[in-house]
Amino acid sequence: MQIRIGYELAFEVPRPTPMQLMLYVHPDQAGALRHPEKIVVEPAVAVEDFIDAFGNRAARILAPAGALRIRYDNEIRDEGAADASFEGLSLTPVHEMPPECWRFLLASRYCEVDRLSAIAWELFGATPESWERVQAVVSWVHANVTFGYQFARWTKSACDVYIERQGVCRDFQHLAITFLRALNIPARYTTGFLGDIGVPPSASAGDFSAWAEAYLDGAWYPIDARHNQRRIGRVVMARGRDAVDVALTTSFGAATLTSFTVWTDELPAVAA
Amino acid sequence: MQIRIGYELAFEVPRPTPMQLMLYVHPDQAGALRHPEKIVVEPAVAVEDFIDAFGNRAARILAPAGALRIRYDNEIRDEGAADASFEGLSLTPVHEMPPECWRFLLASRYCEVDRLSAIAWELFGATPESWERVQAVVSWVHANVTFGYQFARWTKSACDVYIERQGVCRDFQHLAITFLRALNIPARYTTGFLGDIGVPPSASAGDFSAWAEAYLDGAWYPIDARHNQRRIGRVVMARGRDAVDVALTTSFGAATLTSFTVWTDELPAVAA
Amino acid sequence: MQIRIGYELAFEVPRPTPMQLMLYVHPDQAGALRHPEKIVVEPAVAVEDFIDAFGNRAARILAPAGALRIRYDNEIRDEGAADASFEGLSLTPVHEMPPECWRFLLASRYCEVDRLSAIAWELFGATPESWERVQAVVSWVHANVTFGYQFARWTKSACDVYIERQGVCRDFQHLAITFLRALNIPARYTTGFLGDIGVPPSASAGDFSAWAEAYLDGAWYPIDARHNQRRIGRVVMARGRDAVDVALTTSFGAATLTSFTVWTDELPAVAA
Amino acid sequence: MQIRIGYELAFEVPRPTPMQLMLYVHPDQAGALRHPEKIVVEPAVAVEDFIDAFGNRAARILAPAGALRIRYDNEIRDEGAADASFEGLSLTPVHEMPPECWRFLLASRYCEVDRLSAIAWELFGATPESWERVQAVVSWVHANVTFGYQFARWTKSACDVYIERQGVCRDFQHLAITFLRALNIPARYTTGFLGDIGVPPSASAGDFSAWAEAYLDGAWYPIDARHNQRRIGRVVMARGRDAVDVALTTSFGAATLTSFTVWTDELPAVAA
């Protein structure tokens, strides 16, 4: 399966502003891209690439004052398989994990493990100490949080989501991640492209998506408290502790998003 | 100058519990140590070392059930000079910083840059865009927060400190770090040994200390909103975004600290 | 001047639910009404009136399951004068206020005086201890908070507004009230009708309005951090500590607001 | 049974400061006092009494600059019976309660009913809709919160207690009250004298106590999530929505408590 992916973002920038862009496909999946990656910025400015502390490919620019456009278009090859299943797997004991897993057990800006720890054990302490505990967390968040774009705000943390029970994609994932970490299961936040492949077309406009990954039996598996189903065609852009680490764009100064288009479409198969 | 440093910590652990220890001297300063580093754990268990994502030397153990003791003793050579002064320095523009500085501009668990950004600009936006802005932040926090061990709690963030105006070492640093990041000045959290060298002896028992570092004119400088003075003999153990990254010990399960001794003493000079 | 006032609210109620209605004109202004007050409820149920602890006229019903409509229509005579000015007035010393003022100095659900006290004194402690301090608070909130219906949420308190700097009517008033109380100036929350009389017509649909009252020189004066101007034709419905006390409707069980119309229109003068 | 009650409080007041004192026995119990009530203030200042909006007898003074002492000593007759039991009682339907109960269903400063409502129904929604639901709330809070004087802070709300699971008397009661209100059971906060009558003597010094009252089957019953047992000899001083309404002393300006003695002792029976 080939998936066409891309975006066009427009900003209004009042004065020259440094920006960090997490807008490449993750190096783990970049080998499946049809074309070399290129973030096109208008007006043309230097785009400096770097690999961040989590292994993501990032870019940074100094956006000039005025209108700014950022575009990307590509195709990626995908197996067309649903997310790998973690059913039946055991949990890795903490002391048997590689050390690099441990940072995904700790609290982060939007995932206050310290604050939600007692609650996590009350809600999930009686579940089997296996993949079923992971599933219980994902299902609970899916069932108890109401989705709505109007519920988004930048300061919203997992604890807020637990209290308010409302949110967008990222809020669902933050709460699930926090519960998992409190239960000593490593969990990390993931952003990327996720189209309506194999599911009924969504009424809302295309958008980037946020999901998460949990560590079971020595490997990372996608989890998604927003949809609570195994999906086809996830294209990872970045991974981190939470939305802070992998914000698609981070501006060090004012920058107003004025328009926003994202595409993630399965391409028709071409006869050989 | 030679400084004797060390600690002895005791825990009661109800069941086997993995622990992360940030209890070595930082690799940057380890060359000045007199003896090879050794964390002695009783009962004897494997101590596995690793370098974390911030370049700190860390260790991990699987603590057995029962009483646990962790000891360390060493000497370190120090120039005996006060903290490097940043007086007169300019601030590095964000787009001229190396990319690895940028993560120290972002929000983290205890440093909610998003929440305190407007306030930071109200308080400090009129200060000169230079080292004086850094000093203004440090002085403000020092003057407006009251120190007291009874004000410590694990869930306390910079925003809580700003509202409550009370805290311990780490709280002072979290608030200063958050303001600096909001002002686009990289700031990181630091833990280590800091004795009463060149200052009147403190009435309270020895303890580890927390301070911070700010990035000016292409380099990192120690800052300390708790003491607001240049001190002699800081021995860095670990650096990170905030106290989450560099907690001296992190237990993945219950572990009760039952006693605690830390020493940081200037040794008498020996005649040649 | 005659003002036509009224509303029609529709709810969907899944099961019989007690509701409190603060939907009468306040007894202080009810003498200027043209018709006796009547809240019409469909389907017809008993409407039990009572005077609450703040002197407001309230009603309560047991809403049956199904669709519920609540209607009211009336006319009120108004002087047509702008809000009384408090310019030039002195502040009443706390110990000279009648005791019933004191409860409007204390913290309440949405007005955490304890949390914002240090900040209030930092922001306003240097203003003259007179009406100018009241005006400074109102002007600051007006200038520093951005209005938007999308920023409303039921859990939002003054402290949230101070941090997030976004909100609806009630949020502006909560923050101003909290600052005033912290400065030892009694302030209370007010709901009522406020039409576009003497100001350009608003683009948005009719709605109830929230404003506040501050106590200066022995009397209560309207203040309005949302508009920061003296307005014509305020019709008070209820007063209390904050929005908790005077919510237009409070349901003890689920009740979904399905439609909502409010009118507050100056009637054309009739020739004698 | 005769109980001797009283207190001596000392403050240091930097400048003349108005203070509200909720330091009388509640009018409901005052008929059982042996002597007329008198709050003795040194230096002598006018003590102005008033009845507050909750029916409590309160006093206010203008404390002069300097050292301030407040004393009270009395005896009260008590039946010597344990708190009235609510076992077996039914819950009053909301629409059958007198209107004055309804304000004790609403959110207040320290009791964020809005924020803890979903959680209350998750924890207690499956309990029988009777006195057993009240008991379940009290027992849960008693079992899940750890007592400690070092956990006190003035800004701590029920939501904080739920997250942190630590607190003093007032924190236990705030959390229980909030859960009850969320479950549509009126609950109010109570302060008063409570000695060690019929229980082993407490190691800690005498103090005022905070408990609560819940409304079942048409009447108010004492509940106490701190002790979770029926006690003898409660002497009510004041009732309100939460600790804001009935703070023993509220200062409108700085006033430092410098010493504090409270006595509540059963007197030996005297032979006739």
Side-chain angles (χ1 to χ4, degrees), chain A residues 108-150:
Chain A
S108 57
R109 169 62 188 97
Y110 294 118
C111 299
E112 310 106 319
V113 178
D114 47 319
R115 290 171 67 82
L116 290 176
S117 186
I119 293 161
W121 286 100
E122 279 166 16
L123 289 173
F124 307 108
T127 58
E129 203 174 335
S130 72
W131 69 278
E132 292 176 79
R133 184 165 287 175
V134 177
Q135 186 55 55
V137 167
V138 173
S139 296
W140 189 96
V141 173
H142 179 74
N144 285 282
V145 179
T146 300
F147 181 87
Y149 283 110
Q150 72 275 29

Side-chain angles (χ1 to χ4, degrees), chain A residues 115 119 122 162-163 165, chain D residues 115 119 122 162-163 165:
Chain A
R115 290 171 67 82
I119 293 161
E122 279 166 16
Y162 175 66
I163 297 289
R165 305 291 168 96
Chain D
R115 289 171 67 83
I119 293 161
E122 280 167 15
Y162 175 67
I163 297 290
R165 305 292 169 95

Side-chain angles (χ1 to χ4, degrees), chain D residues 23-62:
Chain D
L23 289 168
Y24 288 115
V25 168
H26 192 276
D28 285 357
Q29 265 181 285
L33 289 166
R34 180 158 179 182
H35 308 292
E37 294 201 276
K38 184 162 175 54
I39 298 176
V40 179
V41 180
E42 283 182 2
V45 294
V47 178
E48 180 191 355
D49 286 6
F50 64 101
I51 300 295
D52 76 4
F54 296 94
N56 302 302
R57 185 178 178 200
R60 51 186 215 164
I61 60 172
L62 178 60

Side-chain angles (χ1 to χ4, degrees), chain B residues 50-250:
Chain B
F50 64 101
I51 300 296
D52 76 2
F54 296 94
N56 302 303
R57 185 178 178 198
R60 50 184 216 165
I61 61 173
L62 178 59
L68 179 79
R69 299 189 90 76
I70 299 176
R71 264 199 308 258
Y72 178 100
D73 195 19
N74 215 329
E75 287 176 34
I76 193 163
R77 193 178 58 249
D78 187 88
E79 302 278 315
D83 293 334
S85 168
F86 54 79
E87 198 175 323
L89 297 184
S90 56
L91 300 178
T92 307
V94 171
H95 62 280
E96 295 179 7
M97 296 170 189
E100 58 269 26
C101 278
W102 282 27
R103 64 172 150 169
F104 297 108
L105 291 172
L106 302 180
S108 56
R109 168 64 187 99
Y110 294 119
C111 299
E112 311 106 319
V113 179
D114 47 319
R115 289 171 67 81
L116 290 177
S117 186
I119 293 161
W121 286 100
E122 280 166 16
L123 290 173
F124 307 108
T127 58
E129 203 174 332
S130 71
W131 69 278
E132 292 176 80
R133 183 165 286 174
V134 177
Q135 186 55 55
V137 167
V138 173
S139 296
W140 190 96
V141 172
H142 179 74
N144 286 281
V145 178
T146 300
F147 181 87
Y149 282 110
Q150 72 274 30
F151 303 136
R153 65 177 193 273
W154 286 109
T155 58
K156 198 175 209 172
S157 71
C159 203
D160 294 326
V161 182
Y162 176 67
I163 297 290
E164 301 174 22
R165 305 292 169 94
Q166 296 173 324
V168 292
C169 262
R170 67 182 228 145
D171 300 314
F172 283 74
Q173 315 306 345
H174 283 153
L175 183 53
I177 289 169
T178 307
F179 282 148
L180 289 170
R181 291 181 188 168
L183 300 165
N184 293 327
I185 303 168
R188 59 190 188 192
Y189 185 91
T190 307
T191 53
F193 295 96
L194 176 62
D196 297 325
I197 301 173
V199 297
S202 158
S204 57
D207 194 355
F208 295 107
S209 189
W211 61 90
E213 293 174 338
Y215 191 84
L216 298 96
D217 203 11
W220 291 98
Y221 291 83
I223 56 171
D224 187 344
R226 165 74 181 94
H227 298 103
N228 199 21
Q229 62 179 156
R230 294 168 55 206
R231 293 285 292 265
I232 297 168
R234 295 188 196 267
V235 180
V236 174
M237 300 173 82
R239 297 185 181 105
R241 285 199 186 170
D242 63 27
V244 168
D245 292 329
V246 299
L248 297 153
T249 65
T250 303

